[in-house]
Amino acid sequence: MKDILTAPFLTQMRETTANMYRLGWDERNGGNISLLLTEEEIGSYLDLTDVKRRIPTGFTAKELDGKYFLVTGTGKYFKNVQADPANNLGLIRITQNGASAELLWGWEDGGKFTSELPAHLMSHRARLAVDPENRVVMHCHPTYTLAMNYVHPLDEREMTRTLWQMCTECIVVFPDGVGVLPWMLCGTNEIGEATAEKMKEYRLVIWGMHGIYGAGKTMDEAFGLIETVEKAAQIYMLTAHLPRLNTIRDDQLRTLAEAFGVAYRKDFLNE
Ligand code: 2HA
Ligand code: ZN
């Protein structure tokens, strides 16, 4: 067996959590990531018959049975993942119609998966139905995105259009826009179901006054989506209280989207 600490997926997870921590998106135990892995990817690092523990998930999702996920742990700090992956991360296999997670590696101190596992697994299921190559679901609390939630209508069309106006690249990076949920209790199956419902349509979902979810084929895609929204939200927060002299007009946004050939939410722009 090869040393799992040398596995590319583990390196990626350590680097991503470290980056997110340093960007200020994941204070204390804030944020969580799940990465879908294949048996081929992990088979040379782990004995897949050696189940350390079985942990109930509290929900069902039969489409996910037999799938493997590398997941951040509940109560764990992104700040600590880089130096101590074996206590802060876990690699699980989903079984029993989604009701059980078999721990194959990690959480060596007795820990378990993020409290947001329902939102993650339900979002994986929703994204996989739209894009069979989706692998990553990422949640965090980016500062300016959160700030914007307090001073901007929590409306998908309005929020997306404002973000698109803040940086020329936005409509090209997230032409599908940003889904928005009102404030809801986190860590529940209800917010998981609501997030997954939005994920059928969007790769980005804002949790009102809490944070954001991003999904993608790779860690870079999910990270890049959130990073671009956060940059746009930063520009918004730096300018919202000042007289607006210039903007990217709707016809210019349309020109951009068409020049880059992206399928954008035409209904999110004004005539
Ligand atoms: O895991 O971010 O939403 C901590 C959180 C909960
Ligand atoms: Zn959170």
Side-chain angles (χ1 to χ4, degrees):
M1 286 287 159
K2 291 193 273 182
D3 178 3
I4 194 168
L5 295 179
T6 66
F9 55 82
L10 209 63
T11 303
Q12 260 185 16
M13 184 64 99
R14 292 164 79 177
E15 285 176 353
T16 304
T17 47
N19 277 332
M20 293 171 78
Y21 173 67
R22 264 172 254 299
L23 285 163
W25 302 352
D26 297 275
E27 73 292 342
R28 201 174 181 274
N29 63 321
N32 23 75
I33 304 180
S34 55
L35 169 64
L36 175 63
L37 295 168
T38 61
E39 211 163 285
E40 295 68 52
E41 272 175 301
I42 60 179
S44 53
Y45 300 100
L46 291 173
D47 173 0
L48 302 181
T49 64
D50 181 13
V51 176
K52 312 285 184 206
R53 279 188 276 144
R54 288 189 171 76
I55 315 172
T57 65
F59 60 88
T60 53
K62 66 176 184 315
E63 297 86 343
L64 298 175
D65 270 12
K67 292 208 185 308
Y68 297 86
F69 294 94
L70 181 64
V71 190
T72 52
T74 183
K76 305 297 191 189
Y77 293 19
F78 272 31
K79 175 172 74 68
N80 299 334
V81 173
Q82 178 70 275
D84 188 11
N87 280 322
N88 290 287
L89 302 174
L91 204 159
I92 55 175
R93 175 172 53 215
I94 302 301
T95 61
Q96 294 176 10
N97 292 333
S100 179
E102 297 179 331
L103 179 65
L104 299 170
W105 175 84
W107 300 317
E108 287 179 354
D109 58 1
K112 67 172 207 171
F113 43 74
T114 167
S115 58
E116 304 297 358
L117 194 72
H120 279 257
L121 294 195
M122 293 177 198
S123 293
H124 275 285
R125 181 172 55 172
R127 286 311 304 167
L128 284 169
V130 187
D131 175 4
E133 289 180 27
N134 194 83
R135 309 273 305 266
V136 180
V137 173
M138 186 179 278
H139 165 64
C140 58
H141 307 157
T143 312
Y144 292 95
T145 304
L146 209 37
M148 186 177 171
N149 278 211
Y150 290 87
V151 298
H152 189 282
L154 285 176
D155 171 88
E156 288 167 351
R157 185 181 187 278
E158 291 308 310
M159 186 71 82
T160 300
R161 187 165 167 271
T162 299
L163 291 168
W164 282 351
Q165 288 171 353
M166 293 299 118
C167 311
T168 293
E169 300 220 322
C170 280
I171 195 169
V172 180
V173 174
F174 54 94
D176 40 347
V178 176
V180 179
L181 290 178
W183 185 92
M184 290 176 75
L185 182 62
C186 52
T188 62
N189 289 350
E190 288 69 33
I191 201 168
E193 282 155 14
T195 308
E197 195 53 38
K198 294 292 180 196
M199 285 276 180
K200 291 178 181 169
E201 207 176 332
Y202 302 101
R203 289 171 299 159
L204 286 158
V205 180
I206 286 176
W207 278 9
M209 291 158 286
H210 179 139
I212 192 164
Y213 268 75
K217 295 177 182 39
T218 61
M219 212 66 115
D220 269 356
E221 184 185 355
F223 182 93
L225 284 168
I226 294 174
E227 187 179 31
T228 307
V229 166
E230 174 64 352
K231 176 63 171 275
Q234 182 175 10
I235 307 296
Y236 179 78
M237 293 309 296
L238 287 170
T239 56
H241 57 295
L242 301 171
R244 176 93 78 95
L245 301 182
N246 303 301
T247 195
I248 309 175
R249 299 185 313 264
D250 288 46
D251 66 294
Q252 292 172 322
L253 289 169
R254 221 171 269 121
T255 302
L256 253 171
E258 274 151 28
F260 283 85
V262 293
Y264 65 108
R265 285 291 299 249
K266 296 189 171 64
D267 57 323
F268 281 6
L269 292 177
N270 294 339
E271 278 310 303

